[in-house]
Amino acid sequence: MLPASMVLPQQPAGYLETPATESFIQKLQLSVSKGLPHSAPAPASRTDEHELVKSVFQVLQGFNTPLLYWDKNVPAYCEKPGTYVSHLSRASLGSVLKPFLFAATCLKRVELFVGKVRSCGHGTPTLSVFASAVDSWLMRLWEATLKEEEKSFVSVDRTVTLLALTDSMSSLCSGAEHLYQVVHGAVPDSFWGSGANIASSEVAVHVVNHIFKKLNEVCLVEDGEGEPYHMLLVIFAGTLLPYLQCLDSWLYDGILDDPYEELR
């Protein structure tokens, strides 16, 4: 007879019928799949990387595609729910697409800002030329994207991957973010709701001060070099044009030609 210390404790009825390891695995599987033991992505949501690369180029130029689209409610560019490729997990795909969607969102918001300024009807020359300068730089980034797209697909034998695109488009994605930072906060928040009640001089001063502060920030970081500094310098010079024209007329002709009273 076995000693009392070696006698196994009696197990509850039915415990030995299902092994502990099997029960744990089943519970783990159900927790991950949310109750669907054999859940799998829908075949209709599967795409190939080549189509995703083409979609990335399209959204970086302000267009929508069946895989990537502009969601007005966010507002931001998003990927079609459930989209996947066979060799990447959903998390990996989302991580690779994230910087492209962010850059495309920045460019789209800049485009919407320019359109908003041009349709607001508020007579502020400084704000108008600022929007034009921003729009010119936006066009420059779009053209750079188009050239990169043409270069990527010029050879039928060349396979363009999202990872390779991350390297080749890193500068453009960075430029998109910097351009949006210039636009964001350039106009007083109260302007859009009651623009007609804000003096043109107040709007002009706010715009110029905003760009000047950004210019100083970038100059301290990059020591006056690099693409962001060059972009800010071009936009700042373009925004100052109405002021320079008024000063030229005043100093050389003795006439203060300031119909919108931006210098008063």
Side-chain angles (χ1 to χ4, degrees), residues 216-227:
N216 283 334
E217 291 172 5
V218 174
C219 186
L220 289 174
V221 174
E222 301 190 2
D223 196 23
E225 298 180 359
E227 190 73 8

Side-chain angles (χ1 to χ4, degrees), residues 7-261:
V7 177
L8 295 175
Q10 188 175 4
Q11 303 292 344
Y15 181 85
L16 295 176
E17 296 177 2
T18 303
T21 55
E22 182 180 354
S23 175
F24 173 76
I25 290 175
Q26 288 178 343
K27 290 180 180 179
L28 181 63
Q29 184 183 36
L30 291 175
S31 67
V32 172
S33 61
K34 297 181 180 180
L36 301 174
H38 303 290
S39 61
S45 299
R46 179 178 176 178
T47 186
D48 55 56
E49 194 167 1
H50 180 78
E51 290 299 320
L52 275 174
V53 169
K54 290 171 62 178
S55 293
V56 166
F57 278 120
Q58 290 297 300
V59 296
L60 285 173
Q61 296 175 69
F63 301 111
N64 286 331
T65 75
L67 299 176
L68 307 175
Y69 65 97
W70 176 255
D71 189 343
K72 295 181 180 179
N73 298 321
V74 177
Y77 271 105
C78 306
E79 57 182 296
K80 181 182 177 182
T83 301
Y84 74 99
V85 290
S86 59
H87 62 288
L88 289 174
S89 66
R90 287 283 307 132
S92 297
L93 180 60
S95 178
V96 174
L97 288 176
K98 185 176 180 179
F100 297 122
L101 295 177
F102 177 71
T105 297
C106 289
L107 294 178
K108 189 67 175 180
R109 289 180 179 178
V110 170
E111 180 189 4
L112 293 175
F113 170 84
V114 172
K116 201 172 181 180
V117 169
R118 290 175 173 173
S119 63
C120 70
H122 191 277
T124 307
T126 299
L127 179 59
S128 298
V129 295
F130 168 69
S132 296
V134 168
D135 188 44
S136 296
W137 203 270
L138 175 64
M139 294 295 178
R140 176 174 175 167
L141 293 177
W142 279 346
E143 289 175 4
T145 302
L146 180 59
K147 289 180 180 179
E148 185 65 29
E149 181 180 15
E150 292 173 348
K151 184 173 68 175
S152 298
F153 295 105
V154 69
S155 174
V156 293
D157 299 327
R158 182 183 177 187
T159 301
V160 184
T161 64
L162 289 171
L163 189 58
L165 206 62
T166 302
D167 293 332
S168 63
M169 299 293 287
S170 60
S171 177
L172 187 138
C173 290
S174 177
E177 182 179 359
H178 285 300
L179 183 59
Y180 176 66
Q181 288 175 355
V182 174
V183 166
H184 183 65
V187 177
D189 294 334
S190 57
F191 174 78
W192 304 115
S194 57
N197 298 325
I198 301 179
S200 296
S201 57
E202 182 180 344
V203 177
V205 168
H206 190 282
V207 172
V208 173
N209 281 344
H210 173 77
I211 307 173
F212 186 69
K213 289 178 182 177
K214 291 292 182 182
L215 194 60
N216 283 334
E217 291 172 5
V218 174
C219 186
L220 289 174
V221 174
E222 301 190 2
D223 196 23
E225 298 180 359
E227 190 73 8
Y229 181 79
H230 178 58
M231 174 194 69
L232 279 165
L233 199 59
V234 170
I235 293 176
F236 185 59
T239 305
L240 288 177
L241 186 60
Y243 278 108
L244 297 177
Q245 289 175 338
C246 285
L247 287 174
D248 181 75
S249 175
W250 187 16
L251 295 175
Y252 290 97
D253 299 328
I255 301 173
L256 182 56
D257 186 16
D258 184 22
Y260 295 95
E261 299 184 350

